Amino acid sequence: MLDIKLVRTQPEQVVAGLAKRGFQFPMETFSKLDEERRRKLVEVEQLKNKRNTVSKEVGRIKAAGGDASAIIQEMQQVGEAIQQLDNEIRQVEDELNRLMMEIPNIPHESVPVGEDESENKLIRSWGEPRCFDFEPKSHDEIGIGLGIMDFERAAKISGARFVVMKHWGAKLERALVNFMLDVHTGENGYTEVFPPFLVNRASMTGTGQLPKFEEDMFKVTPGDYYMVPTAEVPVTNLHRDEILSAEQLPIYYAAYTACFRAEAGSAGRDTKGIIRQHQFNKVELVKFCKPEESYAEHERLVTDACKILEKLQLPYRVMLLCTGDQGFSAAKCYDVEVWLPSFNTYREISSCSNFEDFQARRANIRYRPAPGAKPEFVHTLNGSGLAVGRTVAAILENYQNEDGSVTVPDALRKYLGVDVIR
RNA sequence: GGAGAGAUACCCAAGCAGGUUGAAGGGGACGGUUUGCUAAACCGUUAGUAGGAGAAAUCCUAGCGAGGGUUCGAAUCCCUCUCUCUCCGCCA
């Protein structure tokens, strides 16, 4: 959520910032609601003040054995007026709130202005795509060939966009989760968290998935639960409605969860293979930090994610998303993309965002800069470290051999216990 | 799922037959006195927060788990919900 005071005091800046990502801020509606709210607030608070003083007076009169029926009757009308105004204010506030909740974040000044992914900016690339002296297969062909992926039975037991991983495939998935968590907790200073996979509506609202993106989520009955689309949701919400101390910051969390996405609106895209599934595994990195540190933390977050790919010796590139391609809550976002030979291109395997105080304001996550000082919103960041399913795909494709076997990357051998999957 | 108990400020906790109680008391924290230092003792301070008015000083409103209701007036009465604890049942 944007700072309502910023909208009030610097409207041009807000409108211009949002215009960069192609969003038109409804300034007229906003001003009307905002002014109406404040006008009515002044009115009702005066009435409440009157009621408070007079009610105390009533108590005094009655205690002294006097008759207060005249003022009581007068106050009845004041009470009705207050109730009426309170209702009106609630309506206005609901409306204002609904409006503010659907306003995306303002892009940071360092974000290139552009309409879609074609205008994203290449920051750097690492590693050379391998030259094959045979026709490389796609990861799903390899997986089916090795008997480690079963799409048909997945369709039988669940449906489209699911896969059953078997034998070395299942072990590879598990090995990668362990490997990633070990690197992030052991070398990069993150604290491991294993959160619930079902969260409530407040959590989904806190990180920005709701109210706008309800159709992207799986809703669970009974209960008002949502299946997590990413560990970002439970982990960021760990500190919802909290005031952290300055010494606690920065906080680094690394969390593995399965992730669940309805993928509404992506029908027909990536239907083959495990690139786009309703359920996939991911290790997520989440940071809470002081505002002045968030952009430096953001760079380090990207480095931490890339480190996994480097250890696995998988070629990748880092893209800075343009204003039009950024997510709803992000102020700035880098995508890390891994080389996939069968696609003959790089595909997103991690998305690292700085949300500044956008999520913190929604989720009410603050810190006290100094003892006794006024609390301020923290900045939150997160990034995949990494999407496990896509890492499996990348390993199978980049490490495939002509005979259909797959060489295991050095870094994974101690986790998997074999050098070659065949 | 059944039965019961509870949720009050940083923590514990009183108040709950409605009215100078936005909150007794204790602990903690902070400040001070005493002291060679520490401890102890004694004295003092201690809602934080959100919203609003104002140039400012400052003032007002909300707030006793959350949301409604009754009333001139609610921590106290009524309704709904959430969470915690105890016992029973069930279960990995």
Side-chain angles (χ1 to χ4, degrees):
Chain A
M1 195 152 77
L2 298 182
D3 183 359
I4 200 159
K5 283 182 186 148
L6 181 73
V7 182
R8 218 178 267 156
T9 56
Q10 322 246 325
E12 335 66 41
Q13 193 187 319
V14 170
V15 168
L18 289 170
K20 285 200 291 183
R21 67 192 334 264
F23 186 90
Q24 199 184 353
F25 186 85
M27 188 55 78
E28 221 172 286
T29 315
F30 171 83
S31 303
K32 195 179 126 262
L33 290 170
D34 187 47
E35 278 160 29
E36 188 181 356
R37 169 175 172 271
R38 281 189 286 167
R39 202 182 59 238
K40 290 191 163 154
L41 223 42
V42 171
E43 202 181 334
V44 82
E45 284 180 3
Q46 276 169 1
L47 288 175
K48 282 181 178 174
N49 179 231
K50 183 175 178 187
R51 181 177 70 181
N52 288 345
T53 29
V54 174
S55 291
K56 279 189 180 167
E57 184 61 26
V58 170
R60 245 173 262 135
I61 293 171
K62 286 202 166 178
D67 174 28
S69 53
I71 353 182
I72 288 178
Q73 197 165 0
E74 190 198 327
M75 278 301 110
Q76 253 165 19
Q77 273 151 39
V78 174
E80 277 163 30
I82 288 173
Q83 195 161 33
Q84 169 79 17
L85 274 169
D86 269 343
N87 283 337
E88 288 172 20
I89 288 166
R90 199 180 310 157
Q91 266 179 29
V92 172
E93 282 186 341
D94 282 354
E95 214 172 315
L96 192 60
N97 204 33
R98 219 173 306 134
L99 184 143
M100 290 304 287
M101 288 303 246
E102 305 222 342
I103 308 294
N105 204 355
I106 298 172
H108 188 250
E109 57 188 13
S110 62
V111 175
V113 178
E115 269 189 36
D116 55 38
E117 63 172 51
S118 66
E119 297 182 71
N120 293 344
K121 188 177 155 199
L122 174 67
I123 299 298
R124 64 173 188 271
S125 54
W126 184 94
E128 277 297 314
R130 175 179 157 197
C131 258
F132 288 91
D133 50 13
F134 57 93
E135 186 60 34
K137 296 194 195 110
S138 66
H139 67 271
D140 46 300
E141 289 174 308
I142 301 164
I144 291 167
L146 287 169
I148 62 175
M149 283 182 199
D150 187 339
F151 293 96
E152 286 179 19
R153 289 196 177 93
K156 175 173 70 181
I157 61 175
S158 296
R161 292 204 189 283
F162 288 93
V163 66
V164 175
M165 302 295 280
K166 290 196 313 197
H167 192 40
W168 291 113
K171 285 186 193 293
L172 180 57
E173 194 87 19
R174 181 158 57 89
L176 279 167
V177 171
N178 283 335
F179 166 66
M180 291 175 191
L181 285 171
D182 284 349
V183 171
H184 293 311
T185 60
E187 297 177 22
N188 296 342
Y190 291 77
T191 302
E192 188 168 341
V193 172
F194 188 61
F197 291 8
L198 299 182
V199 296
N200 57 31
R201 196 177 170 84
S203 295
M204 282 296 205
T205 307
T207 31
Q209 281 75 17
L210 290 180
K212 226 183 160 182
F213 305 103
E214 181 109 37
E215 71 282 358
D216 295 340
M217 246 84 64
F218 286 110
K219 178 99 193 275
V220 171
T221 50
D224 193 19
Y225 296 118
Y226 294 85
M227 299 181 80
V228 296
T230 158
E232 160 194 353
V233 178
V235 176
T236 306
N237 279 282
L238 281 176
H239 295 299
R240 171 150 50 85
D241 293 320
E242 288 184 14
I243 299 178
L244 305 164
S245 67
E247 306 84 73
Q248 282 176 272
L249 300 175
I251 295 172
Y252 293 1
Y253 291 130
Y256 155 77
T257 67
C259 301
F260 304 90
R261 299 191 182 175
E263 293 297 345
S266 55
R269 289 184 66 197
D270 301 317
T271 49
K272 247 169 71 74
I274 60 170
I275 296 297
R276 191 174 300 274
Q277 302 273 287
H278 285 310
Q279 174 188 322
F280 61 97
N281 293 315
K282 182 156 63 72
V283 170
E284 185 75 0
L285 307 174
V286 176
K287 292 185 173 188
F288 302 79
C289 71
K290 297 176 188 169
E292 62 270 24
E293 291 168 355
S294 72
Y295 279 92
E297 291 290 355
H298 191 202
E299 298 299 321
R300 279 197 285 275
L301 182 65
V302 178
T303 308
D304 292 339
C306 292
K307 192 180 199 176
I308 300 293
L309 291 169
E310 288 172 24
K311 282 180 183 279
L312 294 172
Q313 295 283 300
L314 291 167
Y316 69 86
R317 65 179 188 183
V318 178
M319 304 295 287
L320 173 57
L321 300 194
C322 72
T323 52
D325 201 29
Q326 276 184 180
F328 179 79
S329 304
K332 184 176 183 178
C333 180
Y334 292 106
D335 273 2
V336 180
E337 300 179 336
V338 69
W339 177 256
L340 285 180
S342 79
F343 288 78
N344 198 37
T345 186
Y346 292 89
R347 289 299 304 256
E348 177 189 338
I349 196 165
S350 171
S351 193
C352 301
S353 304
N354 183 355
F355 303 97
E356 298 189 355
D357 62 4
F358 188 87
Q359 291 181 327
R361 182 171 288 109
R362 284 177 164 246
N364 192 28
I365 308 167
R366 294 173 293 173
Y367 82 106
R368 213 178 283 283
K374 207 173 142 58
E376 285 176 30
F377 291 111
V378 300
H379 280 194
T380 61
L381 304 94
N382 68 54
S384 341
L386 305 163
V388 177
R390 290 187 180 183
T391 307
V392 168
I395 289 171
L396 296 186
E397 293 200 6
N398 284 284
Y399 280 89
Q400 64 181 296
N401 303 313
E402 192 164 11
D403 64 0
S405 67
V406 173
T407 304
V408 175
D410 283 344
L412 283 183
R413 289 187 183 175
K414 69 172 181 189
Y415 289 90
L416 220 51
V418 292
D419 297 351
V420 180
I421 297 172
R422 59 174 94 245

